Amino acid sequence: MIFFLLYSLIIAQRLIELKVARRNEKKMKARGAKEFAAEHYKWIVILHTTFLLSLVLEAYVKGFELSPFFPVLFLLFIVLQGLRVWTIRSLGMFWNTKIIILPNANIVKKGPFRFLRHPNYVVVSFELLVIPLMFNAFWTAILFTILNALLLLLVRIPAEEAALSQQSDYDHQFSDTPRFIPQEERKHSKTPPK
């Protein structure tokens, strides 16, 4: 059954990511990195765990039926996974599920970070919408898209940006980089000498 194959793949992916995050956390802390705003992390774990539970429950109630738009939604899901891998690989040991900052480290401005400040949050936000829609789990899609947006916009992103600003050249490095929606590269006009 397609639902259980995809569901198992998502859970396996999340478990692998947690293992990578723990490994990166150890590497970073061994180099003097600090964790910031740890108190909100439990809410992220709760949100993602209840999302997975809600998804399976609502899909079960609806008979695990596929959306008529499943092929398009699945293709979008695959594209999102490519962006997720690109983001994680671009950050290397700096990627984590927690806010762990190495003071005075060079800011990563390669990969998707050339276009967005928070590509990983864009991926997660779209996943919380796309995955349930593949199985007509509309309530899960709506509820967790809203909850995730509130958690990201009101708590996680402000805490992460504040920590990066305190510990690095973040504000300067990302002054022309949009948070969530890529924009045409801005041309810096040079003032002619007088």
Side-chain angles (χ1 to χ4, degrees):
M1 180 176 266
I2 292 173
F3 176 84
F4 288 107
L5 284 172
L6 194 56
Y7 193 76
S8 299
L9 174 71
I10 291 165
I11 289 174
Q13 180 187 48
R14 298 302 186 265
L15 293 173
I16 290 167
E17 287 175 1
L18 286 173
K19 187 175 181 180
V20 170
R22 281 192 202 107
R23 186 187 68 214
N24 288 346
E25 180 178 359
K26 285 180 184 174
K27 281 184 190 176
M28 292 279 284
K29 286 185 174 177
R31 295 179 182 204
K34 302 172 196 164
E35 183 174 353
F36 291 84
E39 63 281 352
H40 82 280
Y41 185 69
K42 68 181 174 193
W43 296 108
I44 290 176
V45 172
I46 289 168
L47 178 103
H48 287 273
T49 303
T50 55
F51 166 76
L52 291 168
L53 295 172
S54 177
L55 174 62
V56 75
L57 181 62
E58 188 173 358
Y60 168 76
V61 168
K62 296 193 174 182
F64 300 107
E65 65 184 22
L66 295 179
S67 165
F69 303 103
F70 181 84
V72 173
L73 293 167
F74 183 72
L75 182 60
L76 182 54
F77 173 76
I78 296 300
V79 169
L80 290 169
Q81 299 322 297
L83 183 54
R84 174 191 293 282
V85 170
W86 190 25
T87 300
I88 292 170
R89 288 183 58 93
S90 296
L91 281 175
M93 75 169 186
F94 295 102
W95 181 82
N96 211 294
T97 56
K98 298 176 181 176
I99 301 174
I100 298 175
I101 311 289
L102 183 63
N104 302 314
N106 290 330
I107 296 294
V108 174
K109 283 284 289 188
K110 63 181 182 178
F113 294 92
R114 290 177 294 167
F115 311 106
L116 296 172
R117 290 185 199 192
H118 303 290
N120 197 61
Y121 299 145
V122 171
V123 168
V124 170
S125 297
F126 275 106
E127 279 181 335
L128 293 177
L129 185 63
V130 168
I131 294 169
L133 290 179
M134 286 193 281
F135 303 99
N136 294 322
F138 302 111
W139 290 109
T140 299
I142 293 166
L143 177 63
F144 286 91
T145 296
I146 292 169
L147 291 174
N148 181 63
L150 291 172
L151 185 57
L152 286 179
L153 295 174
L154 299 178
V155 181
R156 176 63 179 231
I157 290 172
E160 186 172 306
E161 289 185 344
L164 284 164
S165 296
Q166 289 173 7
Q167 302 294 313
S168 69
D169 190 20
Y170 177 80
D171 291 331
H172 175 71
Q173 291 287 329
F174 278 96
S175 62
D176 285 346
T177 308
R179 279 181 163 172
F180 310 112
I181 301 171
Q183 296 174 357
E184 185 179 330
E185 187 175 341
R186 298 177 189 161
K187 306 265 190 268
H188 294 287
S189 60
K190 294 184 179 178
T191 308
K194 294 183 179 179

